[in-house]
Amino acid sequence: MTTPPPALLIAGHGTRDAAGAEAFRSFVRELGRRHPELPVAGGFIELSPPPLAEAVGELVDQGVRRFAAVPLMLVSAGHAKGDIPAALAREKERHPGISYTYGRPLGPHPSLLAVLERRLDEVLGGTVRTPADRADVTVLLVGRGSTDPDANAEVHKAARLLWEGRGYAGVETAFVSLAAPDVPSGLDRCVRLGARRIVVLPYFLFTGILPERVRQQTEGWAAAHPGVEVRSADVIGPEPELLDLVMERYREAVRGDLRMNCDSCVYRIALPGFEDKVGLPQQPHFHPDDDGHHHDGHHGHHHGGPAHSPSHAH
């Protein structure tokens, strides 16, 4: 009798936006339809149901004892480095006998860059007909933003990779929360660099409160600067490339072929201004829908410890 492959567990951020939460759940269902050979479940760290603990319980109820967890996140920030590993460690205690491997975040990956390029082409419509036309377009890639400098640097890396070889005038970066520059400041920078046609490109997987905030801030800035052409592109969305990439991350985790780069991780390296985070203990994130979790007051983002346990290979 052959051993069944490990199940696939998808871990999401969570959002207060109902459409964004449903987009995640729909994405998980589509993965399950595409891969009937695998049990597939998904849950959130915070804000929206189902909690990650419920997704693990669903797999265990199906008889699953081994699974690979993939964070449905573009960058390795606090959730991916701390909250998810801590939550998985807690589930291992709750369900004796299960084992898991933990995959890496999704970006920046060439297939995601291809989707971002497509989003730019869509919003530009027929106005970009030749490579020379792209030389008039400046892109502002807007990330979520984090208190983790490593995570913010990943957005800059994605911006640079999007710029390389595609002929845009430039690809600048901004963040919608927790990090500078914010969207208006990013647009100001584009203009100072000579931009006259700008596309604001949200570096988000699905719709939600933060991508909508990006759009609103863009519209507000554009209204105050009528001499500059500004357009808003769509989020990445549940594209075939994203579905395939999640399975690529799943296969990496199952093989143990994880190429994580921790050279600039604040939980390993004493970066200027973040020295107190090295080796910081981690508690699972409190999720209000997780009935099995007794809230002990440790619901802040205390990231670091379990992310560098043997379950999180580098």
Side-chain angles (χ1 to χ4, degrees):
M1 180 174 143
T2 58
T3 303
L8 171 57
L9 175 69
I10 306 296
H13 276 285
T15 173
R16 291 184 178 88
D17 181 74
E22 180 54 33
F24 171 91
R25 292 188 290 261
S26 174
F27 184 82
V28 172
R29 289 193 295 269
E30 178 60 21
L31 273 171
R33 281 193 290 269
R34 284 174 170 243
H35 299 278
E37 75 281 5
L38 292 179
V40 178
F44 295 104
I45 288 295
E46 60 178 346
L47 300 176
S48 32
L52 196 62
E54 185 177 311
V56 173
E58 177 187 329
L59 292 174
V60 171
D61 289 345
Q62 296 177 46
V64 168
R65 290 297 174 264
R66 298 187 306 138
F67 62 87
V70 174
L72 199 68
M73 299 167 188
L74 289 168
V75 302
S76 188
H79 278 319
K81 289 180 179 179
D83 288 328
I84 297 173
L88 294 175
R90 184 184 64 197
E91 294 312 304
K92 198 169 188 299
E93 293 179 359
R94 286 181 175 176
H95 304 284
I98 68 170
S99 63
Y100 63 87
T101 55
Y102 182 38
R104 58 179 173 143
L106 304 175
H109 188 279
S111 62
L112 291 181
L113 297 173
V115 177
L116 292 173
E117 184 178 11
R118 193 155 69 238
R119 293 290 174 259
L120 292 170
D121 287 343
E122 288 167 357
V123 75
L124 289 166
T127 63
V128 173
R129 299 180 181 86
T130 70
D133 292 331
R134 285 188 173 188
D136 294 331
V137 177
T138 298
V139 179
L140 183 64
L141 185 71
V142 181
R144 175 179 295 268
S146 173
T147 57
D148 184 341
D150 190 35
N152 296 331
E154 284 293 304
V155 181
H156 279 264
K157 182 176 182 178
R160 182 70 209 194
L161 290 171
L162 183 63
W163 189 6
E164 292 281 357
R166 290 182 173 84
Y168 301 112
V171 181
E172 296 297 313
T173 52
F175 301 94
V176 72
S177 64
L178 298 175
D182 59 15
V183 173
S185 298
L187 287 164
D188 289 342
R189 174 178 168 82
C190 290
V191 170
R192 287 198 299 270
L193 291 170
R196 287 296 173 264
R197 303 182 69 203
I198 305 172
V199 178
V200 177
L201 177 62
Y203 194 46
F204 288 82
L205 292 174
F206 303 127
T207 187
I209 288 174
L210 293 182
E212 183 55 32
R213 186 180 300 165
V214 173
R215 185 176 291 271
Q216 290 171 356
Q217 290 178 354
T218 299
E219 291 173 354
W221 187 93
H225 298 79
V228 183
E229 180 185 336
V230 184
R231 303 188 184 195
S232 292
D234 286 334
V235 296
I236 290 170
E239 294 294 287
E241 291 95 336
L242 183 59
L243 289 154
D244 291 342
L245 178 54
V246 169
M247 293 309 299
E248 183 177 328
R249 292 290 185 255
Y250 164 82
R251 288 187 289 270
E252 287 176 356
V254 170
R255 293 193 306 262
D257 179 25
L258 297 178
R259 296 177 293 277
M260 299 290 285
N261 183 350
C262 290
D263 290 346
S264 55
C265 177
V266 289
Y267 309 118
R268 279 180 174 249
I269 306 299
L271 296 180
F274 297 87
E275 293 88 350
D276 61 329
K277 295 201 174 212
V278 177
L280 196 65
Q282 168 66 38
Q283 297 289 340
H285 203 295
F286 171 65
H287 194 301
D289 295 313
D290 179 6
D291 295 332
H293 177 54
H294 300 290
H295 180 37
D296 59 5
H298 296 294
H299 62 280
H301 292 277
H302 306 295
H303 305 297
H308 302 295
S309 70
S311 67
H312 188 98
H314 296 281

